Amino acid sequence: MPVSTIIYDLGIRGYKAGVALAAATGNAKARKWLEGRRSWRTVLEQHLSDAGPIVWVHAASLGEFEQGRPVLEALRQQYPHCKILLTFFSPSGYEVRKDYPGADYVCYLPLDTPRNAKDFIRIVKPALAIFIKYEFWYHMLTRLYREKVPVLLISGIFRPGQPFFKSYGGMFRKLLQQFSYIFVQNRESMSLLDQIDVRHAAIAGDTRFDRVWALQEEERSLPGIGEFINDRQAIIAGSTWETDEALLAAWWKKQQDKDGPCLIIAPHEIDAAHISKLLELFPEAIRYTEWVKTAEKQAGRVLLIDNVGMLSVLYRYAAVTYVGGGFGKDGIHNILEPATYGKPVLFGPVFHKYPEAAGLITAGGGISIHDLGTFDTQMGKLLQDEAIRLQTGAKAKEYVAENKGATSKILQYIQEKRFLTRL
């Protein structure tokens, strides 16, 4: 066995040990990660016996699922004779989408060991496997290649710092050669693949543009939100972390006009401890779950969204939006969801991993802020000047419209190769 594979396997075992330790010390996500993978062979065999042709779609977490969702739903419509298996690596994806009706079965991906990969592919027998954006699991991909299962990577994004482009990355470069085809988001990714002689690839774009464009075409509303806003300008801050919330709180304290805009915050984490911290920052805030079930609703200026699944529709109600994560090491969350509704989008300075952020800024629909001062300046400008606000929002929506279409390119390839029509 190559040394690189031994090191990889040791890393996988170390990761599992770390999760087990975290679960033992009370980490809820780690506990769900472990519990969700127990008896997975038995469960899969029960659900997938005599299932017929299966398309296996894998997403790391919720964001990647939403990215690949347009392709999944297009496959569902075009190939109704096929069953769809959706797997997640992270509890944050599985827990939200475990009842997703667009898939026939949703489960966790087993840990990437040789035995797990062999058994998983034997049970599932996928006719086609689709990985979204990343998640390059060595044993799973190698087993798929050995079994001659076509495998696609969609909405792929590559950066120079990844192992594929390092001197020690031969093992991972080999994995890329095992994909049937790779659809990337941009020219930079394509250029990097060219440098390592990966030629079975094409620029299709980012399928998230298709997903968010479909959102703004849906006629959906949320209970109580319009009533809370009550004809005021609404600032909607989504997927916020503590640094974002501290900035928002510092700015909000300066807003003395009781008849001015309202603020709606949908934090990234909604556990009791985090909601308590938010209530300390915003003492006047009302929790959404309490607001929506109260018959005689009190007037309020700050609303905390303390449940999941609302944000993609919530942005529809905004005058101006703020997307969190841009002050953390991992970077911003989904800025395309507010952009598709034609809303100005503000976000923090850490966005280098997200080409859509740079694109949205260049298009004139996105604004990166660096501190309280720049936030105050930009927010004041957008709230006080309707022409600027509407123009910025229109440019955001135009940017989304100009970049949709990746799903149709991927579906065309699947049709041409007849991966599923021959079954």
Side-chain angles (χ1 to χ4, degrees), residues 46-176:
Q46 290 173 348
H47 283 85
L48 299 182
S49 60
D50 302 321
I54 292 175
V55 178
W56 169 29
V57 180
H58 176 67
S61 190
L62 185 60
E64 290 72 33
F65 162 75
E66 292 296 339
Q67 193 159 28
R69 184 171 174 173
V71 174
L72 190 155
E73 293 180 350
L75 286 169
R76 181 73 142 179
Q77 182 175 10
Q78 185 133 357
Y79 300 100
H81 65 289
C82 294
K83 302 294 184 182
I84 293 179
L85 168 67
L86 173 63
T87 60
F88 287 98
F89 181 78
S90 167
S92 60
Y94 174 78
E95 291 299 325
V96 176
R97 293 302 180 192
K98 59 187 176 183
D99 298 318
Y100 171 60
D104 296 283
Y105 186 60
V106 183
C107 67
Y108 282 99
L109 182 72
L111 198 65
D112 190 40
T113 67
R115 183 189 171 196
N116 284 355
K118 181 179 180 180
D119 290 349
F120 183 84
I121 303 306
R122 172 183 57 80
I123 296 169
V124 175
K125 301 181 187 68
L128 173 66
I130 299 175
F131 283 60
I132 303 167
K133 193 175 180 179
Y134 39 56
E135 291 282 279
F136 302 98
W137 296 113
Y138 176 78
H139 295 296
M140 287 291 179
L141 289 170
T142 300
R143 177 57 58 175
L144 287 165
Y145 182 74
R146 288 176 182 171
E147 299 294 336
K148 296 182 172 53
V149 177
V151 185
L152 305 181
L153 178 69
I154 64 173
S155 291
I157 190 83
F158 293 93
R159 304 180 187 91
Q162 291 173 307
F164 312 105
F165 314 108
K166 301 295 185 180
S167 59
Y168 56 81
M171 168 183 172
F172 296 98
R173 288 191 287 274
K174 182 179 178 181
L175 287 184
L176 294 181

Side-chain angles (χ1 to χ4, degrees), residues 248-265:
L248 288 165
W251 179 78
W252 189 248
K253 286 178 182 177
K254 298 166 59 179
Q255 312 308 307
Q256 301 299 322
D257 185 1
K258 301 301 181 183
D259 297 321
C262 61
L263 174 64
I264 301 178
I265 304 173

Side-chain angles (χ1 to χ4, degrees), residues 193-259:
L193 293 180
D194 283 342
Q195 292 173 25
I196 57 172
D197 295 321
V198 175
R199 308 297 183 189
H200 53 295
I203 301 171
D206 187 344
T207 49
R208 280 182 303 170
F209 286 94
D210 300 318
R211 171 59 188 155
V212 299
W213 188 257
L215 286 175
Q216 58 88 27
E217 293 183 325
E218 297 174 358
E219 293 295 331
R220 294 181 62 191
S221 59
L222 296 171
I225 296 299
E227 190 175 358
F228 178 84
I229 294 172
N230 193 25
D231 295 326
R232 294 175 293 182
Q233 291 179 320
I235 302 157
I236 294 180
S239 301
T240 58
W241 292 87
E242 289 188 5
T243 307
D244 303 300
E245 292 149 9
L247 182 146
L248 288 165
W251 179 78
W252 189 248
K253 286 178 182 177
K254 298 166 59 179
Q255 312 308 307
Q256 301 299 322
D257 185 1
K258 301 301 181 183
D259 297 321

